[in-house]
């Protein structure tokens, strides 16, 4: 269980993940309620309790459908629980529940915050990010849940997959950019981008052995041949669940195939001898995108530069031979060029810390000075609250907040583009903040972020 205390805005709360479950209401009836359950955590809960919570979620979905037939319920807050519900496929429901605890063993009882029944600092968008991410990664590795051969097969794959993901489901480390489900990218100069682009396109063919590719440098997106949705999902997996540290005990660069979520963490990668070779895993790691035909995911890694290639299962051997030859010619040079580019850009000093996010293509741009781990809990809470308000209230286009110890924070929205700023210098009033936002808007995003 994850436990976190937050002080700020009159709150002192503690939050536990109480349960996570998946169910299909058509698989059981009143006498066979347990058949509806496809996955449930923690497994130590009695079957009666499991069925009770599944019944609660099923009742919520049915009740709210009367008022909103086209948009399924996504959240519910009770006195004791905060529920985040996701209906990704017909008759498939995923539910994440947090317990709003006031247990004296954890500290003093939470003081009332007025009429707000919510007793945890996690906005709906944060919880939805977690539950959607579980589904989308499952879909990427196994295909749609309704397409599985049987309910028992679905239960088996869900049990293995989600159990592997649970150690990574840490709300306290969920950053604002992960809440956005954004893709942080490298702003390359045209010449460098053209070099990377040409390197990738020269081995990619929609009808050939290698159909798609994604390029990362130090966890930042450089280039992709996939659409924004697929790019975002594969990027999430590669940057959050697979970490290839520089200096790991293997050859400096090599073509490798990787296994799903759990079994390769930083420690194992650093200590593992004979890192997984393509011949060991031919056809084993397949991912599903739009096509019902899967692709084999293969990585090439050198000096913080990672190429993720998607190969046709029937042509993996030919594809790998092509990649070995091609990458041996181009990869080292591109890694060196990107390292020099990053050193130059990171030496630039931004006046303020900022985040720019374009929801249309999932693109994210942050100032070099902004480090999520260095932000206070209050700043993290306010950023998530700002974005949640933007998502839930279309009439809001600009927000400014003055904190006691962290100064001013401000945000602006134009359509699907968002601009968040953490001001380091002191401002006396919101007018000065507004003027500074306008100045930064023009300086940084004058060509792409037109504001009224």
């Amino acid at each position: 269980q994850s436990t976190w205390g937050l002080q700020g805005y009159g709150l002192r709360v503690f939050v536990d993940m109480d349960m996570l479950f998946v169910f299909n209401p058509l698989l059981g009836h009143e006498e066979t309620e347990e058949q509806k359950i496809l996955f449930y955590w923690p497994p130590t809960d009695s079957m009666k309790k499991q069925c009770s919570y599944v019944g609660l979620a099923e009742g919520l979905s049915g009740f709210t459908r009367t008022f909103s037939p086209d948009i399924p319920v996504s959240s519910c807050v009770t006195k004791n629980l905060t529920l985040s519900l996701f209906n990704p496929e017909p008759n498939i429901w995923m539910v994440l529940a947090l317990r709003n605890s006031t247990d004296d063993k954890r500290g003093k009882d939470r003081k009332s915050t007025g009429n707000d029944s919510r007793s945890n600092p996690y906005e709906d968008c944060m919880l939805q990010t977690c539950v959607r991410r579980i589904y989308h990664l499952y879909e990427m590795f196994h295909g749609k849940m309704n397409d599985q051969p049987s309910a028992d097969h679905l239960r088996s794959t869900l049990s293995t997959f989600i159990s592997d993901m649970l150690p990574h489901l840490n709300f306290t480390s969920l950053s604002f950019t992960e809440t956005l489900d954004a893709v942080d990218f490298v702003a390359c100069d045209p010449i460098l981008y053209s070099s990377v682009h040409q390197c990738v396109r020269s081995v990619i063919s929609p009808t050939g052995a290698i159909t798609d590719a994604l390029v990362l440098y130090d966890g930042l997106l450089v280039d992709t041949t996939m659409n924004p949705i697929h790019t975002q999902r594969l990027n999430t997996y590669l940057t959050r669940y697979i970490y290839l540290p520089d200096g790991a005990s293997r050859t400096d660069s090599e073509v490798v195939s990787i296994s799903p979520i759990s079994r390769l963490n930083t420690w194992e990668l650093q200590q593992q001898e004979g890192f997984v070779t393509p011949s060991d895993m031919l056809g084993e790691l397949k991912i599903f995108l739009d096509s019902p035909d899967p692709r084999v995911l293969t990585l090439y890694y050198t000096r913080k530069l990672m190429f993720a290639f998607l190969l046709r299962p029937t042509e993996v051997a030919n594809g790998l031979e092509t990649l070995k030859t091609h990458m041996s010619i181009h990869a080292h040079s591109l890694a060196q060029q990107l390292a020099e580019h990053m050193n130059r850009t990171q030496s630039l000093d931004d006046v303020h810390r900022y985040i720019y996010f374009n929801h249309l293509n999932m693109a994210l741009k942050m100032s070099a000075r902004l480090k999520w781990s260095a932000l206070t809990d209050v700043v993290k809470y306010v950023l998530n609250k700002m974005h949640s308000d933007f998502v839930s209230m279309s009439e809001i286009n600009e927000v400014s907040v003055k904190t006691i110890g962290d100064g001013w924070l401000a945000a602006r929205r134009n359509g699907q583009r968002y601009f968040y700023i953490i001001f380091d210098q002191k401002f006396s009033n919101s007018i000065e903040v507004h003027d500074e936002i306008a100045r930064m808007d023009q300086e940084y995003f004058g060509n792409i972020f037109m504001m009224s």
Side-chain angles (χ1 to χ4, degrees):
Q1 290 186 335
S2 300
T3 303
W4 181 40
L6 171 68
Q7 297 184 43
Y9 294 93
L11 297 177
R12 179 171 177 79
V13 297
F14 294 88
V15 184
D16 289 337
M17 189 177 83
D18 198 60
M19 69 198 80
L20 174 66
F21 56 89
V22 184
F23 72 96
N24 182 336
L26 299 186
L27 293 179
H29 303 285
E30 186 174 349
E31 299 81 11
T32 56
E33 287 281 333
E34 68 280 359
Q35 293 300 314
K36 299 178 181 180
I37 302 173
L38 297 168
F39 173 83
Y40 189 97
W41 182 92
T44 53
D45 282 355
S46 67
M47 184 55 64
K48 181 179 179 180
K49 182 177 180 180
Q50 294 183 31
C51 291
S52 175
Y53 280 121
V54 168
L56 171 63
E58 188 176 359
L60 280 171
S61 66
F63 174 73
T64 55
R65 192 179 301 116
T66 304
F67 308 98
S68 179
D70 300 324
I71 303 177
V73 60
S74 61
S75 65
C76 177
V77 180
T78 70
K79 179 180 179 181
N80 297 319
L81 291 174
T82 296
L83 301 174
S84 185
L85 304 94
F86 183 40
N87 180 209
E89 301 177 29
N91 302 310
I92 296 291
W93 285 88
M94 303 184 69
V95 183
L96 173 67
L98 301 184
R99 181 160 298 278
N100 310 322
S101 176
T102 58
D103 191 342
D104 284 330
K105 295 179 181 179
R106 303 178 185 273
K108 296 180 179 179
D109 286 351
R110 182 181 62 87
K111 295 182 180 180
S112 173
T113 57
N115 294 326
D116 185 7
S117 62
R118 178 179 295 278
S119 57
N120 70 68
Y122 302 109
E123 293 297 325
D124 294 334
C125 58
M126 297 179 69
L127 304 183
Q128 277 288 306
T129 294
C130 289
V131 71
R132 288 171 182 266
R133 178 175 294 169
I134 293 172
Y135 171 76
H136 290 311
L137 287 176
Y138 176 90
E139 180 190 27
M140 188 169 73
F141 288 113
H142 295 280
K144 294 200 175 289
M145 294 185 184
N146 280 327
D147 292 342
Q148 301 305 307
S150 66
D152 286 339
H153 178 82
L154 177 56
R155 290 187 183 97
S156 175
T157 55
L158 280 172
S159 177
T160 301
F161 189 82
I162 299 183
S163 296
D164 286 347
M165 280 201 70
L166 283 176
H168 302 281
L169 195 62
N170 186 348
F171 299 104
T172 63
S173 66
L174 189 67
S175 72
F176 178 61
T177 56
E178 289 176 311
T179 302
L180 298 175
D181 255 345
V183 177
D184 200 356
F185 64 93
V186 177
C188 295
D189 61 70
I191 296 177
L192 178 54
Y193 175 76
S194 178
S195 299
V196 177
H197 188 79
Q198 180 59 33
C199 172
V200 170
R201 289 339 188 257
S202 61
V203 293
I204 296 297
S205 170
T207 59
I210 310 166
T211 60
D212 280 293
L214 181 147
V215 185
L216 299 171
Y217 183 82
D218 200 17
L220 305 177
L221 180 68
V222 181
D223 192 21
T224 180
T225 64
M226 295 178 284
N227 66 42
I229 296 297
H230 294 153
T231 296
Q232 182 269 325
R233 292 175 185 173
L234 183 55
N235 177 81
T236 295
Y237 173 63
L238 294 175
T239 57
R240 183 156 179 83
Y241 300 102
I242 292 295
Y243 177 50
L244 296 176
D246 239 17
S249 59
R250 61 182 185 277
T251 58
D252 180 57
S253 61
E254 57 184 309
V255 178
V256 298
S257 294
I258 54 178
S259 63
I261 296 292
S262 68
R263 319 214 200 277
L264 295 177
N265 58 34
T266 304
W267 175 258
E268 290 169 340
L269 281 171
Q270 289 175 331
Q271 301 300 321
Q272 186 175 4
E273 297 180 3
F275 189 73
V276 181
T277 61
S279 58
D280 294 331
M281 290 193 60
L282 286 181
E284 285 191 9
L285 182 62
K286 298 178 181 179
I287 67 173
F288 295 81
L289 299 177
D290 282 336
S291 171
D293 300 323
R295 296 288 184 265
V296 174
L297 177 61
T298 300
L299 298 186
Y300 187 97
Y301 177 81
T302 179
R303 301 178 184 178
K304 297 185 180 181
L305 178 61
M306 180 193 292
F307 291 83
F309 294 101
L310 302 185
L311 285 68
R312 294 184 186 279
T314 57
E315 301 183 53
V316 171
N318 291 336
L320 290 175
E321 286 302 316
T322 299
L323 289 178
K324 288 179 181 178
T325 302
H326 187 74
M327 291 293 99
S328 66
I329 298 172
H330 299 284
H332 285 279
S333 174
L334 290 176
Q336 181 64 32
Q337 293 177 58
L338 281 162
E340 294 172 354
H341 172 78
M342 294 296 289
N343 288 335
R344 288 195 303 270
T345 56
Q346 289 178 355
S347 64
L348 301 176
D349 189 21
D350 297 308
V351 177
H352 305 293
R353 292 167 292 174
Y354 67 84
I355 299 171
Y356 165 74
F357 174 56
N358 186 340
H359 190 267
L360 295 175
N361 59 7
M362 306 293 183
L364 177 81
K365 182 70 177 74
M366 296 196 308
S367 61
R369 295 176 55 235
L370 196 153
K371 305 297 182 184
W372 182 257
S373 59
L375 299 179
T376 67
D377 289 341
V378 171
V379 171
K380 295 175 183 178
Y381 176 77
V382 172
L383 286 173
N384 280 303
K385 179 63 176 173
M386 284 176 168
H387 185 69
S388 178
D389 288 347
F390 279 148
V391 170
S392 61
M393 293 178 276
S394 59
E395 67 274 12
I396 296 179
N397 291 311
E398 184 171 327
V399 180
S400 299
V401 175
K402 188 177 188 305
T403 66
I404 295 176
D406 297 287
W408 284 91
L409 289 82
R412 236 184 211 192
R413 171 177 63 181
N414 182 22
Q416 295 295 303
R417 295 187 176 106
Y418 303 85
F419 189 26
Y420 301 87
I421 311 171
I422 303 170
F423 291 109
D424 293 324
Q425 67 191 67
K426 303 297 182 181
F427 293 103
S428 59
N429 55 61
S430 59
I431 296 177
E432 293 181 0
V433 173
H434 175 85
D435 291 343
E436 183 66 9
I437 294 175
R439 186 197 67 77
M440 291 186 65
D441 170 25
Q442 184 60 35
E443 178 180 349
Y444 290 98
F445 309 107
N447 295 326
I448 61 174
F449 191 69
M450 305 303 293
M451 303 293 289
S452 57

